Amino acid sequence: MVEKIRHQLFLPKPVSDRLEALAAKPGASKSAILTDAVTAWLNRRGASELEDRFGIRLDRLTTAIGRLERDGHIQLETLALFVRYELAIQAPLAENDHAGRAIAAKRFDAFIAQVGRQIAAGRRTIADGFGGAAESNP
């Protein structure tokens, strides 16, 4: 059995009339209606406090994620345009040009190794002013 405490309160006449009308329905009581109303109000108040407490942090995280997404799109677009440009200006190698293909494979391996080193070290070529890109230019 839940302990109940008596409260005396004053309600404006229009609110009191609405409460009386609701309590007049079968199975309803003023105490039950007021208990539900006060509980709902307190729950909303608690939710508002949580939103106030964490809302600013969530807004900052949302902004940061938006920037990361934008940066990712910029990087992908930059890479796509670079690849399109390179494919447009470079003549394809002949099928029997084994020396050219060997040089291309060596350059590609050096490129992948450089990307691995940059990522492992946490460096960014653009932030470094392209200083890291010329280190292992084959």
Side-chain angles (χ1 to χ4, degrees), residues 92-115:
L93 293 174
E95 284 295 323
N96 58 358
D97 186 3
H98 299 294
R101 290 189 185 280
I103 291 172
K106 193 185 260 188
R107 287 181 180 172
F108 181 75
D109 290 341
F111 170 75
I112 295 298
Q114 179 64 23
V115 169

Side-chain angles (χ1 to χ4, degrees), residues 44-60:
R44 279 195 312 274
R45 179 77 176 191
S48 177
E49 289 174 12
L50 282 175
E51 186 173 326
D52 291 345
R53 180 176 290 164
F54 295 111
I56 294 170
R57 290 179 187 163
L58 290 173
D59 288 343
R60 286 182 189 154

Side-chain angles (χ1 to χ4, degrees), residues 75 78-79 82-83 86 102-120 123 125 130 132-138:
Q75 292 169 352
T78 302
L79 179 62
F82 176 75
V83 168
E86 284 296 314
I103 291 172
K106 193 185 260 188
R107 287 181 180 172
F108 181 75
D109 290 341
F111 170 75
I112 295 298
Q114 179 64 23
V115 169
R117 284 192 298 276
Q118 291 288 101
I119 298 224
R123 292 189 310 249
T125 300
F130 294 98
E135 289 175 8
S136 64
N137 202 3

Side-chain angles (χ1 to χ4, degrees), residues 17-115:
D17 291 342
R18 290 176 64 191
L19 178 61
E20 291 288 340
L22 281 174
K25 295 180 180 176
S29 70
K30 290 180 191 177
S31 291
I33 293 168
L34 289 174
T35 298
D36 290 345
V38 170
T39 300
W41 185 84
L42 290 173
N43 288 342
R44 279 195 312 274
R45 179 77 176 191
S48 177
E49 289 174 12
L50 282 175
E51 186 173 326
D52 291 345
R53 180 176 290 164
F54 295 111
I56 294 170
R57 290 179 187 163
L58 290 173
D59 288 343
R60 286 182 189 154
L61 288 172
T62 301
T63 302
I65 289 171
R67 271 188 260 129
L68 287 172
E69 184 178 16
R70 183 203 64 206
D71 291 352
H73 288 302
I74 291 170
Q75 292 169 352
L76 286 173
E77 185 64 22
T78 302
L79 179 62
L81 288 173
F82 176 75
V83 168
R84 178 184 283 174
Y85 172 77
E86 284 296 314
L87 290 174
I89 65 165
Q90 297 295 328
L93 293 174
E95 284 295 323
N96 58 358
D97 186 3
H98 299 294
R101 290 189 185 280
I103 291 172
K106 193 185 260 188
R107 287 181 180 172
F108 181 75
D109 290 341
F111 170 75
I112 295 298
Q114 179 64 23
V115 169

